[in-house]
Coordinates of all heavy atoms in Angstrom, one line a residue:
M1 N 104.9 114.5 107.8 CA 104.4 115.0 109.0 C 105.7 115.4 109.9 O 106.6 114.6 110.0 CB 103.6 113.9 109.7 CG 103.1 114.3 111.1 SD 101.8 113.2 111.8 CE 102.6 111.6 111.6
A2 N 105.7 116.6 110.4 CA 106.8 117.1 111.2 C 107.0 116.3 112.5 O 107.5 115.3 112.5 CB 106.7 118.6 111.4
P3 N 106.4 116.8 113.6 CA 106.5 116.1 114.9 C 105.6 114.9 114.9 O 104.6 114.9 114.2 CB 106.1 117.1 115.9 CG 105.7 118.3 115.3 CD 105.8 118.1 113.8
K4 N 106.0 113.9 115.6 CA 105.2 112.6 115.7 C 104.3 112.7 116.9 O 104.7 113.2 117.9 CB 106.1 111.4 115.7 CG 106.9 111.3 114.4 CD 107.5 109.9 114.3 CE 108.3 109.7 113.1 NZ 107.6 109.5 111.9
H5 N 103.1 112.1 116.8 CA 102.2 112.0 117.9 C 102.8 111.0 118.9 O 103.4 110.0 118.5 CB 100.8 111.5 117.4 CG 99.8 111.6 118.4 ND1 99.6 110.8 119.5 CD2 98.8 112.5 118.5 CE1 98.6 111.2 120.2 NE2 98.0 112.2 119.6
P6 N 102.7 111.3 120.2 CA 103.3 110.4 121.2 C 102.7 109.0 121.3 O 103.4 108.0 121.7 CB 103.1 111.1 122.5 CG 102.1 112.2 122.3 CD 102.1 112.4 120.8
D7 N 101.4 108.8 120.9 CA 100.8 107.5 120.9 C 101.0 106.8 119.6 O 100.6 107.3 118.5 CB 99.3 107.7 121.2 CG 98.5 106.4 121.4 OD1 98.3 105.7 120.3 OD2 98.2 106.0 122.5
K8 N 101.5 105.6 119.6 CA 101.8 104.9 118.3 C 100.6 104.6 117.5 O 100.6 104.6 116.3 CB 102.7 103.7 118.6 CG 102.1 102.6 119.3 CD 103.0 101.4 119.4 CE 102.3 100.2 120.1 NZ 103.2 99.1 120.2
E9 N 99.5 104.2 118.2 CA 98.3 103.9 117.4 C 97.7 105.1 116.8 O 97.2 105.0 115.6 CB 97.3 103.2 118.4 CG 97.7 101.8 118.9 CD 97.9 100.8 117.8 OE1 97.1 100.8 116.8 OE2 98.9 100.1 117.9
I10 N 97.7 106.2 117.5 CA 97.2 107.4 116.9 C 98.1 107.9 115.8 O 97.7 108.4 114.8 CB 96.9 108.5 118.0 CG1 95.8 108.0 118.9 CG2 96.6 109.9 117.4 CD1 95.5 109.0 120.1
R11 N 99.4 107.7 116.0 CA 100.4 108.1 115.0 C 100.1 107.3 113.7 O 100.1 107.8 112.6 CB 101.8 107.7 115.4 CG 102.9 108.2 114.6 CD 104.3 107.9 115.1 NE 104.4 108.1 116.5 CZ 105.0 107.2 117.3 NH1 105.6 106.1 116.8 NH2 105.1 107.4 118.6
K12 N 99.7 106.0 113.8 CA 99.3 105.2 112.7 C 98.1 105.8 111.9 O 98.0 105.9 110.7 CB 99.1 103.8 113.1 CG 98.9 102.8 111.9 CD 98.4 101.5 112.3 CE 99.3 100.5 113.0 NZ 98.7 99.2 113.2
L13 N 97.1 106.2 112.7 CA 95.9 106.9 112.1 C 96.3 108.1 111.4 O 95.8 108.4 110.3 CB 94.9 107.2 113.2 CG 93.6 107.9 112.7 CD1 92.4 106.9 112.7 CD2 93.3 109.1 113.5
L14 N 97.2 109.0 111.9 CA 97.6 110.2 111.3 C 98.3 109.9 110.0 O 98.2 110.6 109.0 CB 98.5 111.0 112.2 CG 97.7 111.6 113.4 CD1 98.7 112.3 114.4 CD2 96.6 112.5 113.1
E15 N 99.1 108.8 110.0 CA 99.8 108.4 108.8 C 98.8 107.9 107.7 O 99.0 108.2 106.5 CB 100.9 107.3 109.1 CG 102.1 107.8 109.9 CD 103.0 106.8 110.4 OE1 102.7 105.5 110.2 OE2 103.9 107.1 111.1
E16 N 97.8 107.2 108.1 CA 96.7 106.8 107.2 C 96.1 108.0 106.6 O 95.8 108.0 105.4 CB 95.7 106.0 107.9 CG 96.0 104.5 108.2 CD 94.8 103.9 108.9 OE1 93.6 104.0 108.5 OE2 95.1 103.1 109.9
A17 N 95.8 109.0 107.4 CA 95.2 110.2 106.9 C 96.1 110.9 105.8 O 95.7 111.3 104.8 CB 95.0 111.2 108.0
E18 N 97.4 111.0 106.1 CA 98.4 111.5 105.1 C 98.4 110.7 103.8 O 98.4 111.2 102.7 CB 99.8 111.6 105.7 CG 99.9 112.7 106.6 CD 101.4 112.9 107.1 OE1 102.1 111.9 107.2 OE2 101.8 114.1 107.2
D19 N 98.3 109.4 104.0 CA 98.3 108.5 102.8 C 97.1 108.7 101.9 O 97.1 108.5 100.7 CB 98.4 107.0 103.2 CG 99.7 106.6 103.8 OD1 100.7 107.4 103.6 OD2 99.8 105.6 104.4
Q20 N 96.0 109.2 102.5 CA 94.7 109.4 101.8 C 94.7 110.8 101.3 O 93.7 111.3 100.7 CB 93.5 109.2 102.7 CG 93.3 107.8 103.1 CD 92.1 107.6 104.0 OE1 91.1 108.3 103.8 NE2 92.1 106.6 104.9
G21 N 95.7 111.6 101.5 CA 95.8 113.0 101.0 C 95.3 114.0 102.0 O 95.2 115.2 101.7
W22 N 95.0 113.6 103.2 CA 94.5 114.6 104.2 C 95.7 115.4 104.7 O 96.8 114.9 104.8 CB 93.9 113.8 105.4 CG 92.6 113.2 105.2 CD1 92.2 112.3 104.2 CD2 91.4 113.4 106.0 NE1 90.9 112.0 104.3 CE2 90.4 112.6 105.4 CE3 91.1 114.2 107.1 CZ2 89.1 112.6 105.9 CZ3 89.8 114.1 107.6 CH2 88.8 113.3 107.0
E23 N 95.5 116.6 105.1 CA 96.5 117.5 105.6 C 96.5 117.3 107.2 O 95.5 117.3 107.8 CB 96.2 119.0 105.3 CG 97.3 119.9 105.8 CD 97.0 121.3 105.5 OE1 96.0 121.6 104.7 OE2 97.7 122.2 106.0
V24 N 97.7 117.0 107.7 CA 97.8 116.8 109.1 C 98.6 117.9 109.8 O 99.7 118.1 109.4 CB 98.5 115.4 109.4 CG1 98.7 115.2 110.9 CG2 97.7 114.3 108.8
K25 N 98.0 118.6 110.7 CA 98.6 119.8 111.3 C 98.9 119.4 112.8 O 97.9 119.2 113.5 CB 97.8 121.0 111.2 CG 97.7 121.6 109.9 CD 97.0 122.9 109.9 CE 97.0 123.6 108.6 NZ 96.3 124.9 108.6
P26 N 100.1 119.5 113.3 CA 100.4 119.3 114.7 C 99.9 120.5 115.5 O 99.7 121.6 114.9 CB 101.9 119.1 114.7 CG 102.4 119.7 113.5 CD 101.3 119.6 112.5
P27 N 99.7 120.3 116.8 CA 99.2 121.4 117.6 C 100.3 122.5 117.7 O 101.5 122.2 117.8 CB 98.9 120.8 118.9 CG 99.8 119.5 119.0 CD 99.9 119.1 117.5
P28 N 99.8 123.8 117.8 CA 100.8 124.8 118.0 C 101.1 125.0 119.5 O 100.6 125.9 120.2 CB 100.1 126.1 117.5 CG 98.6 125.7 117.6 CD 98.5 124.2 117.5
G29 N 101.8 124.0 120.1 CA 102.0 124.0 121.6 C 101.1 123.0 122.2 O 101.1 121.8 121.7
R30 N 100.3 123.3 123.1 CA 99.3 122.4 123.7 C 98.0 122.5 123.0 O 97.5 123.6 122.8 CB 99.2 122.7 125.2 CG 100.4 122.4 126.0 CD 100.1 122.7 127.4 NE 101.0 121.8 128.2 CZ 101.0 121.8 129.5 NH1 100.1 122.5 130.2 NH2 101.8 121.0 130.2
G31 N 97.4 121.5 122.7 CA 96.2 121.5 122.0 C 95.9 120.2 121.3 O 96.2 119.2 121.7
Y32 N 95.2 120.3 120.1 CA 94.8 119.2 119.4 C 95.5 119.1 118.0 O 95.8 120.2 117.4 CB 93.3 119.2 119.1 CG 92.5 119.1 120.4 CD1 92.1 120.3 121.1 CD2 92.0 117.9 120.9 CE1 91.3 120.2 122.2 CE2 91.3 117.8 122.0 CZ 90.9 118.9 122.7 OH 90.2 118.9 123.8
W33 N 95.7 117.9 117.5 CA 96.1 117.8 116.1 C 94.9 118.1 115.3 O 93.8 117.8 115.7 CB 96.6 116.4 115.9 CG 97.9 116.1 116.5 CD1 98.2 115.9 117.9 CD2 99.2 115.9 115.9 NE1 99.5 115.7 118.1 CE2 100.1 115.6 116.9 CE3 99.6 115.9 114.5 CZ2 101.5 115.4 116.6 CZ3 100.9 115.7 114.3 CH2 101.8 115.4 115.3
K34 N 95.1 118.6 114.1 CA 93.9 118.8 113.2 C 94.2 118.1 111.9 O 95.3 118.2 111.3 CB 93.8 120.3 113.0 CG 92.5 120.6 112.2 CD 92.3 122.1 112.2 CE 91.0 122.4 111.5 NZ 90.7 123.9 111.4
I35 N 93.2 117.3 111.4 CA 93.3 116.7 110.1 C 92.2 117.2 109.2 O 91.1 117.4 109.6 CB 93.3 115.1 110.2 CG1 92.0 114.6 110.9 CG2 94.5 114.6 111.0 CD1 91.9 113.1 110.9
M36 N 92.6 117.5 107.9 CA 91.7 118.1 107.0 C 91.7 117.3 105.7 O 92.7 117.0 105.1 CB 92.1 119.6 106.8 CG 91.9 120.4 108.0 SD 92.6 122.0 107.9 CE 94.4 121.6 108.0
C37 N 90.5 117.1 105.2 CA 90.2 116.3 104.0 C 90.5 117.1 102.8 O 90.3 118.3 102.7 CB 88.8 115.8 104.0 SG 88.3 114.9 102.6
P38 N 91.0 116.5 101.7 CA 91.3 117.2 100.5 C 90.1 117.4 99.6 O 90.2 118.1 98.6 CB 92.3 116.3 99.8 CG 92.0 114.9 100.2 CD 91.5 115.1 101.6
C39 N 88.9 116.8 99.9 CA 87.7 116.9 99.1 C 87.2 118.3 99.1 O 87.5 119.2 99.9 CB 86.7 115.9 99.5 SG 85.7 116.4 100.9
A40 N 86.2 118.6 98.2 CA 85.6 119.9 98.1 C 84.8 120.3 99.3 O 84.6 121.5 99.6 CB 84.7 119.9 96.8
D41 N 84.3 119.3 100.1 CA 83.5 119.6 101.3 C 84.3 120.0 102.5 O 83.8 120.5 103.5 CB 82.7 118.3 101.7 CG 81.6 118.0 100.6 OD1 81.1 119.0 99.9 OD2 81.2 116.8 100.5
K42 N 85.6 119.9 102.4 CA 86.6 120.3 103.4 C 86.3 119.7 104.8 O 86.2 120.4 105.8 CB 86.6 121.8 103.5 CG 87.1 122.5 102.2 CD 88.5 122.2 101.9 CE 88.9 122.9 100.6 NZ 90.2 122.4 100.1
H43 N 86.1 118.4 104.8 CA 85.9 117.8 106.1 C 87.1 117.9 107.0 O 88.2 118.0 106.5 CB 85.7 116.3 105.9 CG 84.5 115.9 105.1 ND1 84.6 115.3 103.9 CD2 83.2 116.2 105.3 CE1 83.4 115.1 103.4 NE2 82.5 115.6 104.2
W44 N 86.9 118.0 108.3 CA 88.1 118.1 109.2 C 87.7 117.4 110.5 O 86.5 117.3 110.9 CB 88.6 119.5 109.4 CG 87.5 120.4 110.0 CD1 86.5 121.0 109.4 CD2 87.4 120.7 111.4 NE1 85.8 121.7 110.3 CE2 86.3 121.6 111.6 CE3 88.2 120.3 112.6 CZ2 85.9 122.0 112.8 CZ3 87.8 120.8 113.8 CH2 86.7 121.7 113.9
S45 N 88.7 117.1 111.3 CA 88.5 116.6 112.7 C 89.7 116.9 113.5 O 90.8 117.2 113.0 CB 88.3 115.1 112.6 OG 88.0 114.6 113.9
T46 N 89.5 117.0 114.8 CA 90.6 117.1 115.7 C 91.0 115.8 116.3 O 90.2 114.9 116.4 CB 90.3 118.1 116.8 OG1 89.1 117.7 117.5 CG2 90.0 119.5 116.3
V47 N 92.3 115.7 116.7 CA 92.8 114.5 117.3 C 93.5 114.9 118.6 O 94.4 115.7 118.6 CB 93.8 113.8 116.4 CG1 94.3 112.5 117.1 CG2 93.1 113.4 115.1
K48 N 93.0 114.3 119.7 CA 93.6 114.6 121.0 C 95.0 114.2 121.2 O 95.4 113.2 120.6 CB 92.8 114.0 122.2 CG 91.4 114.5 122.3 CD 90.7 113.8 123.5 CE 89.3 114.4 123.7 NZ 88.6 113.8 124.8
I49 N 95.8 114.9 122.0 CA 97.2 114.5 122.2 C 97.3 113.4 123.2 O 98.0 112.4 122.9 CB 98.0 115.7 122.8 CG1 98.1 116.8 121.7 CG2 99.4 115.3 123.2 CD1 98.8 118.0 122.1
S50 N 96.5 113.4 124.3 CA 96.5 112.4 125.2 C 95.1 112.1 125.7 O 94.6 112.6 126.7 CB 97.4 112.7 126.4 OG 97.0 113.9 127.0
P51 N 94.4 111.2 124.9 CA 93.0 110.9 125.3 C 92.9 110.1 126.5 O 93.8 109.2 126.8 CB 92.5 110.1 124.1 CG 93.7 109.6 123.4 CD 94.8 110.6 123.7
S52 N 91.9 110.4 127.3 CA 91.7 109.6 128.6 C 90.8 108.4 128.4 O 90.8 107.5 129.2 CB 91.2 110.5 129.7 OG 89.9 111.1 129.2
N53 N 90.0 108.4 127.3 CA 89.1 107.4 127.0 C 89.9 106.2 126.3 O 90.4 106.4 125.3 CB 88.0 107.9 126.1 CG 87.0 106.8 125.7 OD1 87.1 105.7 126.1 ND2 85.9 107.2 125.0
P54 N 89.9 105.0 126.9 CA 90.6 103.9 126.2 C 90.0 103.5 124.9 O 90.7 102.9 124.1 CB 90.5 102.8 127.3 CG 89.4 103.1 128.2 CD 89.2 104.6 128.1
K55 N 88.7 103.9 124.6 CA 88.1 103.6 123.3 C 88.2 104.7 122.3 O 87.5 104.7 121.3 CB 86.6 103.2 123.6 CG 86.4 102.0 124.4 CD 85.0 101.7 124.6 CE 84.8 100.5 125.6 NZ 83.4 100.3 125.8
Y56 N 89.0 105.7 122.6 CA 89.1 107.0 121.8 C 89.4 106.7 120.4 O 88.7 107.2 119.5 CB 90.1 107.9 122.4 CG 90.3 109.1 121.6 CD1 89.4 110.1 121.6 CD2 91.4 109.3 120.8 CE1 89.5 111.3 120.8 CE2 91.6 110.4 120.0 CZ 90.6 111.4 120.0 OH 90.8 112.5 119.2
L57 N 90.4 105.8 120.1 CA 90.8 105.6 118.7 C 89.7 104.9 117.9 O 89.4 105.3 116.8 CB 92.1 104.7 118.7 CG 92.7 104.5 117.4 CD1 93.1 105.9 116.8 CD2 93.9 103.6 117.5
N58 N 89.0 103.9 118.5 CA 87.9 103.3 117.8 C 86.8 104.3 117.5 O 86.2 104.3 116.4 CB 87.4 102.1 118.6 CG 88.4 100.9 118.5 OD1 89.2 100.8 117.6 ND2 88.3 100.1 119.5
E59 N 86.5 105.1 118.5 CA 85.4 106.1 118.4 C 85.8 107.1 117.3 O 84.9 107.6 116.5 CB 85.1 106.7 119.7 CG 84.4 105.7 120.7 CD 84.2 106.3 122.1 OE1 84.6 107.4 122.3 OE2 83.7 105.5 122.9
L60 N 87.0 107.5 117.3 CA 87.5 108.5 116.3 C 87.4 107.9 114.9 O 86.9 108.6 114.0 CB 88.9 108.9 116.6 CG 89.5 109.9 115.6 CD1 88.7 111.2 115.5 CD2 91.0 110.2 115.9
R61 N 87.8 106.7 114.7 CA 87.7 106.0 113.4 C 86.2 105.9 112.9 O 85.9 106.2 111.8 CB 88.2 104.6 113.4 CG 89.7 104.6 113.4 CD 90.3 103.2 113.3 NE 91.7 103.1 113.4 CZ 92.5 103.3 112.3 NH1 92.0 103.6 111.2 NH2 93.8 103.2 112.5
K62 N 85.3 105.6 113.9 CA 83.9 105.5 113.5 C 83.3 106.9 113.1 O 82.6 107.0 112.2 CB 83.1 104.9 114.7 CG 83.3 103.5 114.9 CD 82.5 103.0 116.1 CE 82.8 101.5 116.4 NZ 82.1 101.1 117.6
K63 N 83.7 107.9 113.9 CA 83.3 109.3 113.5 C 83.8 109.7 112.2 O 83.1 110.3 111.4 CB 83.9 110.2 114.6 CG 83.5 111.7 114.3 CD 84.2 112.6 115.4 CE 83.8 114.0 115.1 NZ 84.8 114.8 114.4
L64 N 85.1 109.4 111.9 CA 85.6 109.7 110.6 C 84.9 109.0 109.4 O 84.6 109.6 108.4 CB 87.1 109.4 110.5 CG 88.0 110.3 111.3 CD1 89.4 109.8 111.4 CD2 88.0 111.7 110.8
K65 N 84.6 107.8 109.6 CA 83.9 107.0 108.6 C 82.4 107.5 108.4 O 81.9 107.5 107.3 CB 83.8 105.5 108.9 CG 85.2 104.8 108.8 CD 85.1 103.4 109.2 CE 86.4 102.7 109.2 NZ 86.4 101.3 109.7
R66 N 81.8 107.9 109.5 CA 80.4 108.4 109.5 C 80.3 109.8 108.9 O 79.4 110.1 108.2 CB 79.9 108.3 110.9 CG 78.4 108.6 111.0 CD 77.9 108.4 112.5 NE 78.6 109.3 113.4 CZ 79.4 108.8 114.4 NH1 79.6 107.5 114.6 NH2 80.0 109.7 115.2
E67 N 81.2 110.7 109.3 CA 81.0 112.1 109.0 C 81.9 112.7 107.9 O 81.7 113.9 107.6 CB 81.2 112.9 110.3 CG 80.2 112.6 111.4 CD 80.5 113.3 112.7 OE1 81.4 114.1 112.8 OE2 79.7 113.1 113.7
T68 N 82.8 111.9 107.4 CA 83.7 112.5 106.4 C 83.8 111.5 105.2 O 83.1 110.5 105.2 CB 85.1 112.7 107.0 OG1 85.7 111.5 107.3 CG2 85.0 113.6 108.3
C69 N 84.7 111.8 104.3 CA 84.9 110.9 103.2 C 86.2 110.0 103.5 O 86.9 109.7 102.6 CB 85.1 111.6 101.9 SG 86.3 112.9 101.9
W70 N 86.3 109.6 104.7 CA 87.5 108.7 105.2 C 87.3 107.4 104.5 O 86.3 106.8 104.5 CB 87.4 108.6 106.7 CG 88.5 107.8 107.3 CD1 88.4 106.5 107.6 CD2 89.8 108.2 107.6 NE1 89.6 106.1 108.2 CE2 90.5 107.2 108.2 CE3 90.5 109.5 107.5 CZ2 91.8 107.2 108.6 CZ3 91.8 109.5 107.9 CH2 92.4 108.4 108.5
K71 N 88.5 106.9 104.0 CA 88.5 105.6 103.4 C 89.3 104.7 104.3 O 90.4 104.3 104.1 CB 89.2 105.6 102.0 CG 88.5 106.5 101.0 CD 89.3 106.7 99.8 CE 89.2 108.1 99.2 NZ 90.4 108.8 98.9
G72 N 88.6 104.3 105.4 CA 89.3 103.5 106.4 C 89.8 102.1 106.0 O 89.1 101.4 105.3
V73 N 91.0 101.8 106.4 CA 91.6 100.5 106.1 C 91.1 99.5 107.1 O 90.8 98.4 106.7 CB 93.1 100.6 106.1 CG1 93.8 99.3 105.9 CG2 93.6 101.6 105.1
S74 N 91.1 99.9 108.4 CA 90.7 98.9 109.4 C 89.5 99.4 110.2 O 89.1 100.5 110.1 CB 91.8 98.6 110.3 OG 92.3 99.8 110.9

């Protein structure tokens, strides 16, 4: 992964995605990170740069587990 996400917990999630073979694309300037699954269904999700919701990371993990082929560790 080229640039690192400013939030260490979200950075850990992006590293988990890379470990699972997901492609992690940093934002082209201001915007969202994009993660894309390597499976044939081409699942993807966006990751905010600075989420305002304190529960954002937990909600993102739940969304990934529910809507994609994410193999969550925690």
Side-chain angles (χ1 to χ4, degrees):
M1 177 168 51
K4 295 196 182 283
H5 194 284
D7 182 285
K8 68 179 182 177
E9 294 299 318
I10 295 177
R11 189 179 321 137
K12 189 192 286 188
L13 177 108
L14 294 174
E15 289 170 1
E16 280 182 47
E18 283 186 324
D19 291 345
Q20 293 182 32
W22 287 55
E23 184 179 352
V24 177
K25 289 187 175 182
R30 293 183 151 183
Y32 295 89
W33 289 70
K34 187 172 184 179
I35 57 175
M36 294 169 287
C37 180
C39 79
D41 292 332
K42 301 294 182 192
H43 299 118
W44 64 276
S45 187
T46 56
V47 179
K48 292 182 179 182
I49 292 177
S50 56
S52 57
N53 180 355
K55 296 179 183 179
Y56 176 74
L57 188 59
N58 288 337
E59 290 173 0
L60 178 60
R61 284 186 184 278
K62 287 178 185 177
K63 177 184 182 264
L64 289 170
K65 288 177 186 177
R66 183 178 61 246
E67 297 178 1
T68 69
C69 56
W70 182 262
K71 301 173 213 130
V73 176
S74 56

